[in-house]
Amino acid sequence: APFRAAMGAPIEPQAVLDACDPDLVIVTDLDLTGLADPRGHWPTETYWLKRQWDRGATLVSVCTGSVLLAEAGVLDGAEATTHWCAAGLFRDLYPAVRLRPERVLCLAGAAHRLVTCGGAASWEDLALYLVNRYCGAAEAVRIAKLFLLGDRSAGQAAFAAMAKPRRHEDA
């Protein structure tokens, strides 16, 4: 059924999850506002993601979408990244994930069937990676030039300085 996303954008699904068996699944960022512990929050979606993984699909995530992949268990033992502000959540709740919060893009799994990217704007890096992977390097360069997409290969650590420090009583 149609619904509104957290920021108000209208979403109109075209199919139910059980009717889809795609070769590529892109998990967008999640609104984790007010959700201190996401474990068990999306049972239908995590079951579906695990089923897609088991049948050979490539799973990718943008920003905090990696939380959903971690919740599905597919990131256990794999290198992954997420938005830098979710690094603490991974440390506390998903210790089996080899989190690399400084990275913009992480490729993992056999044949790089797991791809995670950092903050929401790193969708550009993910898009260029996917264009390169499925259409070739020349097409990725053409798209980068056409849309003025830049290079963030130095990572996202520099942006984490914007985070509020943790509150503590130590003077």
Side-chain angles (χ1 to χ4, degrees):
F3 65 97
R4 291 208 174 269
M7 299 300 285
I11 306 288
E12 188 170 340
Q14 302 300 305
V16 295
L17 287 178
D18 287 337
C20 302
D21 283 325
D23 295 326
L24 173 67
V25 177
I26 300 174
V27 179
T28 63
D29 54 322
L30 302 173
D31 180 10
L32 299 175
T33 307
L35 192 60
D37 188 344
R39 293 176 296 183
H41 194 70
W42 308 281
T44 302
E45 294 82 357
T46 54
Y47 173 79
W48 182 82
L49 283 168
K50 180 71 167 98
R51 197 174 84 227
Q52 300 313 309
W53 173 252
D54 289 344
R55 66 165 200 78
T58 297
L59 306 181
V60 305
S61 68
V62 178
C63 195
T64 54
S66 57
V67 172
L68 195 58
L69 294 182
E71 187 61 16
V74 299
L75 294 182
D76 289 354
E79 280 193 348
T81 192
T82 190
H83 190 283
W84 52 262
C85 73
L89 182 123
F90 269 84
R91 271 192 305 275
D92 296 343
L93 303 180
Y94 305 106
V97 177
R98 294 176 15 225
L99 191 67
R100 301 288 307 274
E102 75 282 1
R103 303 271 307 271
V104 169
L105 201 64
C106 272
L107 311 176
H112 294 151
R113 287 183 41 228
L114 284 172
V115 183
T116 54
C117 67
S122 59
W123 70 264
E124 296 174 0
D125 300 274
L126 176 62
L128 287 176
Y129 168 77
L130 292 173
V131 169
N132 181 55
R133 178 172 174 164
Y134 294 107
C135 302
E139 182 64 5
V141 168
R142 187 184 78 77
I143 294 295
K145 289 179 179 180
L146 181 65
F147 292 102
L148 305 175
L149 302 178
D151 178 14
R152 277 188 286 275
S153 61
Q156 66 175 343
F159 301 97
M162 298 178 351
K164 294 190 311 191
R166 287 187 174 183
R167 295 185 55 83
H168 57 79
E169 301 303 320
D170 184 354

